[in-house]
Amino acid sequence: MTEQAFMQRAIALALEKMRTNSGGPFGAVIVRNNTIISEGWNEVTSSYDPTAHAEIVASRRACARLGAFNLPDCDIYTSCEPCPMCLGAIYWARPCPCPRQSRQWR
């Protein structure tokens, strides 16, 4: 898959989950070795969890899948620029150098 395809998936998740009332309009995917290993969407209102932002949910799922607390050799693609909480979580998870939001934050 291409970076554009990963971004499109993050955006599609946001729209899909918003339309089904499963969360807010935010999506994220985490990629390792050119394969999506986890997906997340905003679950704040559906799970009654103020920390359940798309990036946090995707990171939790990726870490559980990898059996690790960090995400080396992974890229994160988000449908929107991460908030300060999510940016902090991404920093601590230590994925590849720059989270991707429309390629890289520019």
Side-chain angles (χ1 to χ4, degrees), residues 31-66:
V31 176
R32 189 175 194 191
N33 298 325
N34 208 35
T35 302
I36 294 174
I37 62 167
S38 74
E39 298 180 333
W41 52 90
N42 185 296
E43 298 179 18
V44 171
T45 57
S46 60
S47 67
Y48 307 106
D49 178 355
T51 67
H53 293 196
E55 302 90 336
I56 301 286
V57 172
S59 294
R60 288 175 180 160
R61 290 176 179 154
C63 286
R65 180 173 180 177
L66 297 176

Side-chain angles (χ1 to χ4, degrees), residues 65-104:
R65 180 173 180 177
L66 297 176
F69 66 90
N70 59 6
L71 301 169
D73 304 318
C74 293
D75 289 302
I76 182 165
Y77 294 81
T78 65
S79 63
C80 186
E81 185 173 349
C83 73
M85 175 185 69
C86 292
L87 187 58
I90 291 167
Y91 172 81
W92 283 106
R94 292 179 251 150
C96 288
C98 187
R100 311 213 190 273
Q101 182 264 328
S102 297
R103 176 63 179 109
Q104 292 181 346

Side-chain angles (χ1 to χ4, degrees), residues 16-30:
E16 172 189 336
K17 300 304 179 177
M18 182 183 64
R19 289 177 178 151
T20 61
N21 292 321
S22 298
F26 304 99
V29 297
I30 296 182

